[in-house]
Amino acid sequence: MPVFEYAPAPESRAVVDIAPSYGLFIDGEFGEAGDGKVFKTLSPSSEEVLSEVAQAGAEDVDRAVKAARKAFTTWSALPGSERAKYLFRIARIIQERSRELAVLESLDNGKPIRESRDSDLPLVAAHFFYYAGWADKLAYAGYGQDPKPLGVAGQIIPWNFPLLMLAWKIAPALATGNTVVLKPAETTPLSALFFADICRQAGLPKGVVNIITGDGSTGAELVAHPGIDKVAFTGSTEVGKAIARTVAGTKKKVTLELGGKAANIVFDDAPIDQAVEGIVGGIFFNQGHVCCAGSRLLVQESVQDELLDALKRRMSTLRVGDPLDKNTDIGAINSAEQLARIRALADAGEAEGAERWAPQCELPSSGYWFAPTLFTGVTQAHRIAREEIFGPVLSVLTFRTPEEAVAKANNTPYGLSAGIWTEKGSRILWMANKLRAGVVWSNTFNKFDPASPFGGYKESGYGREGGRHGLEAYLAGAAEPTSERRGYLPPEAGGQGEGEHDR
């Protein structure tokens, strides 16, 4: 049989025009920060400077919030059908510019173009289409006959899915009649700034969406600003706790989507090849920079050897390298800081006695890279089994019975997601009812739909984004869903407690 050699398939960088500098987008216009401060954004795959971006201070945050407050009066008064027209227009423009945006996202974030092109951008457009459909149907969402918007939403998004997290937050906020001040992550500000241009292209009224760039101090100013009615944050549990402390005692509504340490559970009757693909997608998608990544593999003892052999063969075929190469499976780690954290935790895994394995692969000489890595002999006491690594590192634990699998899966301060691999539907339902996770996938992993709610429990945060549930956080006086609607029964009534059927 002939052996086919690898040939690069690069995506053209020429489709995106990155300006040498960008200002803040406030009240429909780009402008410098009040004190003139700037910072640089780098491409993690090459460490080259992509652009210089304005650093917003307290004065700039105040201007953005006031612009959003002023725009709220007219935006919230529009009929839902009129707001929907703008959302539909934004969705169509995103589709038209999807190739440009995908290249930009891969350059600024480091993720493979195959993922930004085939996963991120279609979902971004889908969220705007979905919430455009809700804009004139809010009375039928289950939150009262005449639900009202809250006002100004302060939104802070992470660096792992910059444009997708923007869509998760801005689309429902605008559909419900709120205005927005959004701060993207310091290391990935460009796609949000390009989205600002899309807002102008769509004719969105000035001040409805404002984009302010900066570091953590900018986000802290936004959260604490008295003119903010709603805070939406996706990011680390540590920062989420700080936000919760800041808004405590105020009337601000808050949703937090934080870290995770998801269990991907494989039973002995699972289809091995299918499970291996789900495991690989669950932990190595987006370099493991996924809050719901399946970073803990729980495999039934009787199939451990067979599964690990197949998994290692599959990992050996993964290609690490240039994010703009369409053949790349694993791109660059987003920053030097994140790479240092991944290395430290991986070294701790070895020091604590776990066995480390990684396929042979040549990493590029410049940029931030980490090979896909597997740890076996892991116990629940290991740091790599307890702490969120947020990188392409998988910890393998074993179990014998479904009860043991549930106990190990729930033995974590997080509660964002889980995966179950088995041919028995009854076992899937039993496990899903026992697992303390906001999202449970069965015989798949990392599947998202704008109509499906997403969120977690415990230190993974609270509130839901996506679906009808995602509207609630942006509506004033929206009552919590009743126990009957949630399928909730308190433990004293013989139920499992909050959230056991909320998936």
Side-chain angles (χ1 to χ4, degrees), residues 148 202 298 336 354 370 459:
K148 301 295 184 184
L298 272 62
F370 196 89
E459 290 194 9

Side-chain angles (χ1 to χ4, degrees), residues 88-140:
F88 277 126
R89 201 174 300 155
I90 288 171
R92 288 194 294 270
I93 294 171
I94 288 170
Q95 288 182 320
E96 292 165 2
R97 298 178 61 174
S98 61
R99 187 181 178 200
E100 171 194 11
L101 293 169
V103 172
L104 176 72
E105 200 81 316
S106 289
L107 282 172
D108 203 23
N109 171 276
K111 66 176 62 187
I113 185 67
R114 191 161 48 85
E115 294 178 4
S116 56
R117 178 195 65 194
D118 298 343
S119 297
D120 291 23
L121 264 299
L123 275 172
V124 170
H127 274 81
F128 279 97
F129 276 124
Y130 175 78
Y131 281 109
W134 267 117
D136 63 348
K137 304 174 186 68
L138 298 178
Y140 305 98

Side-chain angles (χ1 to χ4, degrees), residues 146-317:
D146 188 22
K148 301 295 184 184
L150 289 169
V152 179
Q155 303 176 328
I156 303 173
I157 58 175
W159 45 260
N160 57 338
F161 292 96
L163 202 53
L164 182 57
M165 294 298 100
L166 176 150
W168 276 28
K169 288 174 170 52
I170 289 183
L174 299 193
T176 48
N178 298 273
T179 53
V180 166
V181 180
L182 179 133
K183 191 199 89 68
E186 182 182 5
T187 60
T188 54
L190 295 183
S191 55
L193 295 167
F194 271 57
F195 179 79
D197 185 59
I198 289 173
C199 290
R200 294 202 297 189
Q201 188 179 346
L204 193 70
K206 292 183 177 182
V208 173
V209 169
N210 305 272
I211 309 289
I212 55 172
T213 49
D215 57 16
S217 64
T218 305
E221 290 286 351
L222 181 61
V223 170
H225 195 286
I228 293 294
D229 301 295
K230 150 76 179 172
V231 175
F233 172 76
T234 296
S236 72
T237 295
E238 180 184 2
V239 175
K241 289 178 178 179
I243 289 173
R245 287 191 292 267
T246 299
V247 303
T250 72
K251 294 183 179 180
K252 296 175 183 177
K253 292 187 75 170
V254 184
T255 50
L256 300 174
E257 196 265 281
L258 309 176
K261 194 67 181 174
N264 214 352
I265 307 164
V266 181
F267 285 91
D268 57 6
D269 62 341
I272 295 297
D273 290 341
Q274 182 181 339
V276 165
E277 289 304 311
I279 294 163
V280 168
I283 184 58
F284 301 127
F285 177 71
N286 198 31
Q287 299 77 252
H289 297 335
V290 186
C291 52
C292 55
S295 55
R296 290 184 299 151
L297 173 61
L298 272 62
V299 56
Q300 201 155 17
E301 273 188 8
S302 57
V303 293
Q304 178 190 15
D305 293 342
E306 180 185 1
L307 180 73
L308 289 180
D309 288 344
L311 179 57
K312 288 179 179 179
R313 286 196 301 271
R314 180 67 178 91
M315 288 174 62
S316 298
T317 68

Side-chain angles (χ1 to χ4, degrees), residues 19-34:
S21 65
Y22 288 93
L24 309 172
F25 184 70
I26 298 175
D27 203 20
E29 302 293 338
F30 283 100
E32 294 182 359

Side-chain angles (χ1 to χ4, degrees), residues 6 44 54 57 76 85 100 112 117 141 237 252 313 352 379 404 426 444 503:
Y6 165 73
S76 61
K85 291 178 182 178
E100 171 194 11
R117 178 195 65 194
T237 295
K252 296 175 183 177
R313 286 196 301 271
E352 291 176 353
T379 72
E404 183 184 358
S426 58
T444 188
R503 5 192 178 272

Side-chain angles (χ1 to χ4, degrees), residues 212-493:
I212 55 172
T213 49
D215 57 16
S217 64
T218 305
E221 290 286 351
L222 181 61
V223 170
H225 195 286
I228 293 294
D229 301 295
K230 150 76 179 172
V231 175
F233 172 76
T234 296
S236 72
T237 295
E238 180 184 2
V239 175
K241 289 178 178 179
I243 289 173
R245 287 191 292 267
T246 299
V247 303
T250 72
K251 294 183 179 180
K252 296 175 183 177
K253 292 187 75 170
V254 184
T255 50
L256 300 174
E257 196 265 281
L258 309 176
K261 194 67 181 174
N264 214 352
I265 307 164
V266 181
F267 285 91
D268 57 6
D269 62 341
I272 295 297
D273 290 341
Q274 182 181 339
V276 165
E277 289 304 311
I279 294 163
V280 168
I283 184 58
F284 301 127
F285 177 71
N286 198 31
Q287 299 77 252
H289 297 335
V290 186
C291 52
C292 55
S295 55
R296 290 184 299 151
L297 173 61
L298 272 62
V299 56
Q300 201 155 17
E301 273 188 8
S302 57
V303 293
Q304 178 190 15
D305 293 342
E306 180 185 1
L307 180 73
L308 289 180
D309 288 344
L311 179 57
K312 288 179 179 179
R313 286 196 301 271
R314 180 67 178 91
M315 288 174 62
S316 298
T317 68
L318 296 175
R319 185 167 294 278
V320 182
D322 181 8
L324 291 187
D325 187 338
K326 301 184 188 76
N327 293 316
T328 294
D329 299 297
I330 299 178
I333 303 302
N334 181 253
S335 66
E337 179 183 7
Q338 184 59 30
L339 178 59
R341 172 173 172 77
I342 295 169
R343 284 174 172 168
L345 283 170
D347 291 345
E350 279 191 291
E352 291 176 353
E355 183 177 344
R356 180 174 180 170
W357 182 89
Q360 290 186 345
C361 61
E362 185 177 346
L363 301 180
S365 57
S366 62
Y368 314 123
W369 307 91
F370 196 89
T373 300
L374 178 74
F375 277 98
T376 53
V378 179
T379 72
Q380 296 180 83
H382 281 105
R383 286 182 63 193
I384 54 174
R386 293 184 288 109
E387 298 182 29
E388 184 180 36
I389 298 178
F390 222 61
V393 179
L394 179 65
S395 298
V396 182
L397 300 93
T398 61
F399 67 91
R400 293 181 178 179
T401 66
E403 290 79 10
E404 183 184 358
V406 168
K408 287 186 173 180
N410 288 340
N411 185 23
T412 172
Y414 299 106
L416 191 55
S417 63
I420 306 166
W421 299 84
T422 176
E423 69 172 11
K424 295 181 175 64
S426 58
R427 178 182 287 162
I428 290 171
L429 294 174
W430 183 87
M431 291 285 294
N433 197 45
K434 297 290 184 181
L435 292 172
R436 190 73 171 137
V439 178
V440 178
W441 285 292
S442 60
N443 292 322
T444 188
F445 209 91
N446 274 344
K447 296 296 182 183
F448 299 96
D449 188 289
S452 179
F454 182 88
Y457 302 112
K458 300 188 287 187
E459 290 194 9
S460 290
Y462 45 81
R464 293 293 181 266
E465 293 183 298
R468 178 184 63 82
H469 304 67
L471 298 167
E472 179 190 351
Y474 293 97
L475 293 172
E480 287 286 339
T482 64
S483 59
E484 290 80 9
R485 279 163 49 198
R486 299 187 68 206
Y488 167 90
L489 279 177
E492 60 269 23

